């Protein structure tokens, strides 16, 4: 029971901080080019995690594991945050996050194919219903221009995140999870920062209070602590089930986007919420058969 309560608390933390990440990132992008912003926040998070991991430095095994760290960095950080940060310039933040959360559906399928996790009727139904919930949010949950480029970048973010989660789960026995998280974030952040420095101008960053506070909050809570919690949960439980709870994140994102960015709600939002809750119940509750 104590372990279950701890898991629930970690999931609540993750859903909240990853939900408000989207409008905060949208706000910060008004003051910085996308790749530089992505690189700055990720490098800060990487430094924090490396400092936290230093007491376990003997578990780094960089010479043996650097290919694992590099592949994970590209999937989890370079592709995911790169597509995300650029894509947020084209569509509303709530809508973009809703499309990205096709990820639990992809994760459920990939975990079945590559991780050997069970796939049964109710779980399939839950994943499909969750996808329909996200689709409902995407089609009309928010008003605003819908850019095909933005939609494609959101889908690319979802794909890279699902693949990253499966890759991390498959290699969990080989690596220390804290070092895995720290190295992928630090390596990915350096790559994003280098790409931003080569293609964007540092002089275009406006170092005002809004940008600094949002960037630091995202670096510490969303990236450093958020990814630590996410991979801890993935490592301890079924990836598909943990992924299903991330369907709740677009609801937090849309609600906070309404409050912070004045994005609008329609009936599709209500429908999407009901479908998403139904999805989580179906994926996580195994109904016992009556005799």
């Amino acid at each position: 029971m104590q372990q279950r309560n701890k898991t629930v608390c970690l999931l609540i933390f993750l859903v909240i901080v990853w939900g408000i990440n989207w409008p905060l990132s949208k706000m910060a992008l008004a003051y910085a080019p996308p790749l530089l912003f992505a690189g700055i926040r990720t490098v800060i998070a990487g430094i924090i995690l490396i400092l936290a991991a230093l007491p376990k430095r003997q578990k780094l095994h960089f010479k043996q594991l650097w290919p694992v760290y590099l592949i994970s960095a590209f999937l989890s950080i370079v592709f995911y945050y790169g597509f995300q940060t650029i894509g947020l310039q084209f569509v509303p933040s709530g809508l973009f996050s809703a499309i990205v959360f096709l990820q639990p559906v992809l994760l459920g399928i990939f975990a079945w194919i590559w991780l050997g996790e069970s796939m049964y009727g109710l779980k399939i139904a839950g994943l499909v219903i969750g996808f329909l919930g996200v689709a409902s949010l995407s089609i009309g949950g928010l008003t605003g221009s819908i850019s095909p480029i933005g939609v494609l970048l959101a889908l690319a973010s979802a794909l890279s995140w699902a693949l990253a989660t499966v890759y991390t789960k498959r290699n969990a026995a080989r690596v220390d999870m804290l070092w895995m998280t720290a190295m992928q974030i630090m390596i990915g952040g350096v790559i994003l920062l280098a790409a931003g420095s080569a293609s964007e101008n540092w002089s275009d960053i406006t170092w005002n209070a809004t940008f600094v506070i949002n960037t630091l909050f995202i670096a510490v809570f969303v990236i450093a602590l958020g990814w630590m919690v996410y991979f801890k949960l993935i490592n301890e439980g079924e990836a598909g089930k943990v992924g299903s709870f991330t369907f709740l994140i677009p609801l937090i994102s849309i609600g906070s986007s309404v409050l912070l960015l004045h994005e609008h709600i329609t009936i599709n939002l209500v429908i999407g919420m009901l479908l998403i809750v139904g999805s989580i119940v179906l994926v996580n509750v195994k109904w016992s058969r009556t005799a």
Side-chain angles (χ1 to χ4, degrees):
M1 180 62 71
Q2 185 176 359
Q3 179 60 36
R4 184 174 180 178
N5 291 338
K6 180 181 177 181
T7 299
V8 170
C9 290
L10 290 175
L11 280 168
I12 291 172
F13 167 80
L14 191 65
V15 167
I16 291 174
V17 297
W18 277 12
I20 62 177
N21 165 60
W22 300 89
L24 293 181
S25 295
K26 184 87 171 180
M27 292 168 64
L29 281 168
Y31 305 104
L35 291 178
L36 284 175
F37 169 55
I40 291 168
R41 62 182 183 171
T42 310
V43 166
I44 293 172
I47 293 171
I48 293 170
L49 288 172
I50 287 175
L51 291 174
L54 279 179
K56 304 168 67 178
R57 55 171 111 19
Q58 72 277 4
K59 295 185 178 182
L60 174 59
H61 303 305
F62 188 80
K63 288 183 179 180
Q64 295 82 18
L65 295 175
W66 71 264
V68 176
Y69 295 143
L70 184 62
I71 293 172
S72 182
F74 269 96
L75 291 174
S76 295
I77 305 302
V78 178
F79 293 155
Y80 176 64
Y81 280 118
F83 295 145
Q84 173 194 131
T85 312
I86 295 172
L88 277 171
Q89 298 178 105
F90 295 95
V91 295
S93 59
L95 175 57
F96 190 91
S97 70
I99 299 171
V100 167
F101 285 92
L102 171 65
Q103 183 265 359
V105 177
L106 297 175
L107 178 57
I109 296 170
F110 294 161
W112 170 53
I113 295 172
W114 289 314
L115 300 179
E117 294 190 0
S118 60
M119 183 63 72
Y120 44 89
L122 287 177
K123 192 170 184 179
I124 294 172
L127 293 172
V128 171
I129 289 173
F131 170 72
L132 292 176
V134 171
S136 175
L137 298 174
S138 302
I139 292 170
L142 298 169
T143 60
S145 61
I146 299 189
S147 162
I149 295 175
V151 172
L152 287 174
L153 288 170
L155 292 173
S157 295
L159 178 61
S160 61
W161 183 13
L163 290 172
T165 301
V166 171
Y167 184 79
T168 300
K169 180 77 171 180
R170 281 178 66 91
N171 287 279
R174 300 174 56 195
V175 300
D176 176 77
M177 195 51 62
L178 179 56
W179 272 115
M180 177 70 157
T181 307
M183 293 308 298
Q184 71 178 20
I185 289 176
M186 191 66 198
I187 293 170
V190 169
I191 293 171
L192 285 170
L193 203 59
S197 298
S199 61
E200 299 168 347
N201 295 317
W202 282 85
S203 60
D204 290 337
I205 300 176
T206 303
W207 297 93
N208 59 18
T210 299
F211 176 75
V212 172
I213 292 171
N214 283 5
T215 300
L216 289 176
F217 180 89
I218 292 169
V220 175
F221 293 99
V222 176
I223 301 179
L225 295 179
W227 280 108
M228 281 180 62
V229 168
Y230 180 72
F231 285 128
K232 177 179 174 60
L233 292 170
I234 289 293
N235 195 39
E236 293 178 353
E238 284 193 15
K241 286 189 174 183
V242 175
S244 72
F245 275 95
T246 62
F247 275 131
L248 287 171
I249 295 174
L251 307 184
I252 302 296
S253 172
I254 289 170
S256 54
S257 294
V258 170
L259 291 174
L260 298 174
L261 302 176
H262 308 294
E263 295 177 0
H264 296 90
I265 309 173
T266 71
I267 188 62
N268 297 69
L269 174 59
V270 179
I271 295 172
M273 288 173 64
L274 294 175
L275 290 171
I276 288 168
V277 172
S279 166
I280 293 173
V281 171
L282 288 176
V283 170
N284 288 276
V285 176
K286 292 186 177 179
W287 305 96
S288 58
R289 295 180 179 179
T290 55

